[in-house]
Amino acid sequence: MNMEDTQADTARDGTVGDDGPSTKPELDLNQFLPYRLNSLADRISQALAQLYEERYQLNIAQWRVLAWLSHCDELTAKKVCAYTNMDKARVSRAIQALEDRGLISRTPSPRDQRLHDLHLTPAGQVLLAELIPAAQAWEAELVATLTAGEYRDLLNVMRKLERQLERIGDKG
Amino acid sequence: MNMEDTQADTARDGTVGDDGPSTKPELDLNQFLPYRLNSLADRISQALAQLYEERYQLNIAQWRVLAWLSHCDELTAKKVCAYTNMDKARVSRAIQALEDRGLISRTPSPRDQRLHDLHLTPAGQVLLAELIPAAQAWEAELVATLTAGEYRDLLNVMRKLERQLERIGDKG
DNA sequence: CGAGCATAGTTGCTTTTGAAACTATATGTC
DNA sequence: GACATATAGTTTCAAAAGCAACTATGCTCG
């Protein structure tokens, strides 16, 4: 943070002549949305993780499986992959860990033996009955300084970015 | 997505009597800001990464070091850690890789032999002269659907969240 | 000055992750 | 019905990441 004696910045307007005609490109990551968004999301994730990591020994993949299970009545590993954009190996390991701990059960689907239907066990339900309100309370505190309008606009803008991202990704 | 024959959902309003008085807590991750933000940031990062990974064989840590170097005249590994919230081992390895490729130089600071001042080599400058405009163009396309106001508001809200995050983190 | 503490950066080690190979089940075609 | 192909999920293996120990330098206070 000690910037008082950085003098090269005086050339920022490109008026220095001896370095060629094209102004040197600079990227201020603090003004660069992908970086800022990633940084913010990282910090939020890390802070929230304390809720489920320390208190319940869950990693983020396990937490996500449980959260999806809390409001999906039929869930498979495949669906978790699709919903969360996580690798199937990662999901597989998360599910296995949760099963080993007795938090979820895994039954082969009668319709298709390749699929395994996931369900919360009573123990899992108990855990979530504690964890979900805590997570919601934490989120409420996080957004406490936002007005209702700001919160709504934020979600709208995020939706816009998601759509635009798909559009960009499609055409390359 | 095939939900037409999931019948357990009929109990969603908590009117089922035999499962206790407290309504089952559900967490819809799609309405949960930490998840949504993380998901969006992940997708953006991943899409952007194609710019510097495929074309320039840079990973995200290396890209960040270069980007900071593009507008910091004095940079050390320590500062990169502070700015980017990355682990110092990760930063150290990124710096080493960049030096091995001749994109940056690393000179012990004359003031303090523990510090190493980082600088772009000409080769590094050439690379950035290509990469930075490409990254900025990509970002511009990403935010193309946002109005100026939406963009400004987004950054403002992100700043608010960052500040609130620190406040929450401080008190636990 | 010198002993003890702090700091910048590197290295070693363990865990986590992701890509790809693999298993087992299902489907489609002839 | 048999063969080719697709899909869900697991396992294996190599690369990446994080923690902690370590090195080297600098600082503080007696």
Side-chain angles (χ1 to χ4, degrees), chain A residues 77-78 88 92-93 106 114 116:
Chain A
K78 181 73 188 308
K88 59 183 184 164
S92 173
R93 293 189 265 247
R106 221 175 47 102
R114 294 171 306 179
H116 296 263

Side-chain angles (χ1 to χ4, degrees), chain A residues 5-164:
Chain A
D5 54 356
T6 62
Q7 81 290 10
D9 211 28
T10 54
R12 259 182 97 207
D13 57 358
T15 52
V16 156
D18 51 15
D19 213 29
S22 72
T23 58
K24 181 183 79 170
E26 293 187 12
L27 185 63
D28 181 356
L29 285 177
N30 279 325
Q31 303 292 121
F32 189 62
L33 190 66
Y35 171 75
R36 280 291 296 277
L37 210 52
N38 201 56
S39 178
L40 174 62
D42 255 17
R43 280 172 222 259
I44 289 176
S45 271
Q46 224 173 307
L48 176 63
Q50 296 191 334
L51 265 194
Y52 48 78
E53 266 177 8
E54 291 177 4
R55 302 232 279 261
Y56 300 97
Q57 282 77 53
L58 298 171
N59 65 27
I60 192 168
Q62 292 159 9
W63 154 242
R64 283 177 179 172
V65 171
L66 289 180
W68 279 105
L69 268 173
S70 81
H71 80 131
C72 292
D73 300 295
E74 296 252 319
L75 196 66
T76 63
K78 181 73 188 308
K79 283 181 183 174
V80 174
C81 290
Y83 298 162
T84 63
N85 206 30
M86 294 193 294
D87 186 85
K88 59 183 184 164
R90 194 176 174 198
V91 170
S92 173
R93 293 189 265 247
I95 287 172
Q96 206 167 322
L98 291 172
E99 198 189 13
D100 290 349
R101 281 179 61 186
L103 297 173
I104 67 175
S105 63
R106 221 175 47 102
T107 57
S109 164
R111 295 276 179 195
D112 182 339
Q113 295 290 123
R114 294 171 306 179
L115 280 66
H116 296 263
D117 289 329
L118 306 176
H119 290 285
L120 285 170
T121 61
Q125 285 169 8
V126 167
L127 189 152
L128 279 186
E130 259 184 73
L131 185 43
I132 285 178
Q136 285 170 334
W138 189 89
E139 183 205 21
E141 200 172 356
L142 175 67
V143 302
T145 57
L146 304 186
T147 67
E150 282 173 332
Y151 185 73
R152 176 175 33 74
D153 292 347
L154 174 62
L155 290 178
N156 273 334
V157 165
M158 286 173 60
R159 256 186 294 276
K160 271 192 168 186
L161 289 174
E162 280 160 5
R163 254 183 293 123
Q164 181 68 354

Side-chain angles (χ1 to χ4, degrees), chain B residues 81-127:
Chain B
C81 290
Y83 297 162
T84 64
N85 205 29
M86 293 191 295
D87 186 84
K88 59 185 185 164
R90 193 177 173 196
V91 171
S92 174
R93 286 166 188 139
I95 287 172
Q96 207 166 321
L98 292 171
E99 198 188 13
D100 290 349
R101 282 180 61 185
L103 298 173
I104 67 174
S105 64
R106 223 174 45 101
T107 57
S109 164
R111 296 275 177 195
D112 183 338
Q113 296 289 122
R114 292 170 307 179
L115 280 66
H116 296 263
D117 288 328
L118 306 176
H119 291 286
L120 285 170
T121 61
Q125 283 168 10
V126 167
L127 189 152

Side-chain angles (χ1 to χ4, degrees), chain B residues 132-143:
Chain B
I132 285 178
Q136 285 170 335
W138 189 88
E139 183 205 20
E141 199 172 356
L142 175 67
V143 302

